[in-house]
Amino acid sequence: MASSRGGLTIADRVIEKTASQILKGLPGVGGTKSGLFGFVSNADLDSRPSVDVRLSGRSCTLEVQLGLTYPSPIAEATESVRRRLSTDVEALTGVSVRQVDVAVKWLRPQPSGFGNSVRNLQ
């Protein structure tokens, strides 16, 4: 009876939202908040980072634009983002992640009392 079952299609937008929500939960990682009519944008640790998805069958490539708190080890932070997205997106959507390209668009000083949690992105 397996031949009578339907298929499952995951839309690009679902993967984008899933990935950006995963990133929003990481300490020291933020996105860009649009201002009035989208003309002005502000670095915002409470905003979701931007994620673009290129889907090909059951695998995808992610292009991420995000910001980080400063000072933070940028190479370690971006590698942690890559690992986390690869693991969590596949676990939540069933779509394997072939590649994650990360562009750090801004750095923002750590809020007071933030501590060293940026280094613990894993």
Side-chain angles (χ1 to χ4, degrees):
M1 298 291 186
S3 63
S4 65
R5 294 182 186 163
L8 175 65
T9 302
I10 304 283
D12 296 13
R13 189 77 177 132
V14 171
I15 297 168
E16 285 175 15
K17 289 279 193 181
T18 301
S20 67
Q21 189 63 33
I22 290 165
L23 293 173
K24 186 176 187 284
L26 296 177
V29 175
T32 303
K33 179 171 58 175
S34 294
L36 185 63
F37 302 114
F39 292 117
V40 178
S41 58
N42 297 315
D44 186 12
L45 288 170
D46 292 325
S47 292
R48 285 191 238 178
S50 170
V51 178
D52 288 320
V53 175
R54 281 180 272 144
L55 188 61
S56 177
R58 299 294 296 165
S59 63
C60 69
T61 299
L62 305 176
E63 292 181 10
V64 178
Q65 294 184 12
L66 52 74
L68 297 170
T69 55
Y70 177 83
S72 64
I74 296 172
E76 289 175 29
T78 55
E79 185 56 36
S80 179
V81 163
R82 285 184 188 94
R83 281 193 311 269
R84 184 72 172 265
L85 284 177
S86 294
T87 302
D88 290 0
V89 166
E90 186 167 354
L92 293 169
T93 66
V95 174
S96 66
V97 178
R98 283 191 316 256
Q99 180 177 330
V100 180
D101 296 324
V102 179
V104 178
K105 298 304 231 177
W106 54 263
L107 296 172
R108 177 176 248 186
Q110 291 181 2
S112 60
F114 194 70
N116 290 326
S117 61
V118 173
R119 295 176 189 232
N120 299 323
L121 290 174
Q122 301 156 2

